[in-house]
Amino acid sequence: MAFEELYQRYSKRMLFYFHRNFYGDGEKAQDFLQDLFMKIIEKSNYFDVNKKFSTWIYTLASNLCKNEFRKNAVRKSYAENYQNRAIPQQPPTQSFSREYDYGLFSLSLDRELEQMNEKHRMTFILRHQQGLSIKEISEIMACSEGTVKSRLFNAIKRLANRLRLFNSQTKKH
Amino acid sequence: MEQRFLDLLKQKNFEELSSADMKYILEMASKEDYTSARGFLESCKTNFETGLALMEPNEEIHDNLIAAYRYKYKGKVKKELHTPQFYFGNVIRTPVFRYAALVSLFMSLVLFLLLLEGRIPTSSVGFKDSTAMDIDQIKNFDKMNQYLCFKNAGLHAGIIIPETHWNP
């Protein structure tokens, strides 16, 4: 079945996309994953076969995120979620160091992303987490390629500066 | 402008930059900023790879979606079973059937033309059956001719048939 193939190919990536956009809220990400694929089933006739499927699915996902941001519920859930996610104090053993690094960096990155403008955040995630091209991002975000580049440039500059200390810590491991 | 910066950031360490690239980078950022940004992107890459590996969608989602998909397309699958293509798919695809519609259209046109030709002699039967009469005996014959002239000139006029000769 073609749908099964699509699900296998995109479900993990889309779950990760929602996970990052909702600052690590796993339950919300799972709900949105289901909503996204429901939309694909319902609106499959709206898909333009001359265009890339990845662009369409990310456009749908981004619109779902934007709608959620508009509801202004994300900020609240993040505050709750953030409090529940304690920063690990010390890696118990060397074998856990990778997880420790991941958890610590993810948490810090989520915190910085949360403080960023919605458009800059989504652009950064689409480019560096999902690995999309600048052209694809410009189609998904409905803006020019120049705008995408500018947003990326500013986002990296800001994040790198804010996470500079953390960056030097990770290099030690 | 940012494109070049972003490309270099992704590809090269500061030490690996050519003198032209280095000059360009230093116009936009310091060596520390560039190194820091590159280090940050590398950390992101590792972090995202690990994160993606840890992601696992709930099994229920998959089951729900498959059920929804089957529900939506159930009717369509049933309909497809009752189309001629389903029963006679291979036969319809043969050249004879493929051009059947075109051939039948052409044959219909020929039949229509033959029928049209056939109408002309049948319409003349009325003239053959008519009875000859002496025009001098027709009352107001001149007036009748006048009306006919009007008709030929494009005006609408009825033909007056004298009352005396109306009854057969």
Side-chain angles (χ1 to χ4, degrees):
Chain A
M1 198 195 300
F3 180 75
E4 181 75 39
E5 173 71 25
L6 283 178
Y7 184 78
Q8 295 303 334
R9 192 178 293 182
Y10 287 98
S11 59
K12 271 183 120 179
R13 269 200 277 170
M14 299 320 294
L15 180 64
F16 195 29
Y17 181 61
F18 288 127
H19 201 267
R20 184 65 72 192
N21 264 304
F22 298 135
Y23 319 116
D25 187 339
E27 275 184 37
K28 195 186 274 279
Q30 296 278 1
D31 288 346
F32 272 75
L33 178 72
Q34 178 158 307
D35 289 352
L36 173 69
F37 277 92
M38 281 291 186
K39 270 202 185 310
I40 290 169
I41 293 170
E42 287 164 11
K43 301 190 172 185
S44 54
N45 50 326
Y46 286 92
F47 172 57
D48 182 354
V49 288
N50 298 317
K51 291 187 176 176
K52 279 178 84 173
F53 181 78
S54 59
T55 309
W56 189 58
I57 195 171
Y58 277 107
T59 306
L60 287 177
S62 301
N63 288 340
L64 283 173
C65 290
K66 281 179 201 165
N67 290 339
E68 185 62 16
F69 293 138
R70 278 191 202 114
K71 284 182 194 166
N72 207 16
V74 175
R75 197 166 287 272
K76 193 185 165 194
S77 71
Y78 167 68
E80 289 165 359
N81 191 48
Y82 186 71
Q83 281 169 359
N84 294 334
R85 290 171 71 199
I87 297 174
Q89 296 302 310
Q90 285 289 327
T93 60
Q94 195 61 31
S95 62
F96 284 104
S97 67
R98 199 179 171 207
E99 267 181 46
Y100 172 79
D101 282 349
Y102 170 73
L104 195 60
F105 184 81
S106 288
L107 202 57
S108 307
L109 184 60
D110 283 345
R111 189 157 64 179
E112 292 305 328
L113 286 172
E114 193 265 344
Q115 288 168 8
M116 272 171 80
N117 171 303
E118 177 193 315
K119 288 171 182 169
H120 282 76
R121 179 176 59 242
M122 287 176 89
T123 307
F124 175 78
I125 293 171
L126 285 169
R127 177 68 178 152
H128 292 287
Q129 182 184 284
Q130 301 293 321
L132 300 188
S133 70
I134 286 170
K135 192 181 175 216
E136 279 179 304
I137 299 169
S138 74
E139 283 177 36
I140 292 162
M141 304 287 290
C143 62
S144 70
E145 288 184 33
T147 308
V148 173
K149 287 172 201 166
S150 172
R151 282 177 190 167
L152 277 174
F153 181 77
N154 290 325
I156 293 170
K157 200 174 165 187
R158 180 193 160 111
L159 288 169
N161 192 37
R162 296 287 183 108
L163 298 171
R164 187 192 294 261
L165 187 66
F166 187 88
N167 187 32
S168 65
Q169 279 179 345
T170 54
K171 280 192 172 178
K172 285 177 188 173
H173 289 289
Chain B
M1 191 177 177
E2 287 96 352
Q3 175 75 60
R4 191 175 163 195
F5 185 89
L6 294 170
D7 288 343
L8 289 170
L9 200 59
K10 210 174 176 183
Q11 291 160 6
K12 293 178 182 175
N13 286 326
F14 189 81
E15 292 73 24
E16 293 167 350
L17 295 170
S18 67
S19 55
D21 287 340
M22 204 175 274
K23 193 182 169 190
Y24 162 76
I25 291 295
L26 289 172
E27 279 172 11
M28 298 188 78
S30 66
K31 181 186 173 184
E32 288 73 29
D33 286 342
Y34 182 87
T35 310
S36 169
R38 187 163 160 76
F40 165 71
L41 286 181
E42 276 178 4
S43 299
C44 279
K45 197 182 169 194
T46 314
N47 179 265
F48 293 153
E49 280 166 5
T50 313
L52 188 61
L54 294 172
M55 288 292 127
E56 204 55 62
N58 287 344
E59 278 293 316
E60 292 167 13
I61 294 176
H62 176 263
D63 298 342
N64 293 343
L65 291 171
I66 294 297
Y69 181 84
R70 286 191 178 140
Y71 180 78
K72 186 176 179 187
Y73 291 101
K74 193 173 68 178
K76 203 175 179 182
V77 172
K78 268 189 179 177
K79 264 185 198 171
E80 280 170 3
L81 289 175
H82 299 294
T83 56
Q85 282 83 357
F86 180 78
Y87 293 110
F88 309 109
N90 291 331
V91 181
I92 288 170
R93 280 181 210 112
T94 57
V96 175
F97 278 89
R98 201 182 295 165
Y99 298 110
L102 200 65
V103 170
S104 63
L105 192 71
F106 177 73
M107 293 303 287
S108 305
L109 189 70
V110 169
L111 192 65
F112 175 74
L113 288 172
L114 286 171
L115 281 172
L116 200 68
E117 283 295 309
R119 269 186 190 177
I120 299 162
T122 51
S123 62
S124 66
V125 171
F127 291 101
K128 283 176 187 171
D129 293 344
S130 60
T131 312
M133 64 174 69
D134 187 355
I135 55 167
D136 290 337
Q137 289 176 0
I138 299 173
K139 198 179 176 183
N140 294 331
F141 177 72
D142 292 340
K143 203 173 178 183
M144 183 182 166
N145 252 359
Q146 207 175 347
Y147 275 108
L148 284 170
C149 284
F150 281 136
K151 195 179 180 188
N152 289 337
L155 295 169
H156 177 73
I159 298 170
I160 297 171
I161 298 173
E163 287 172 17
T164 49
H165 295 279
W166 174 245
N167 294 326

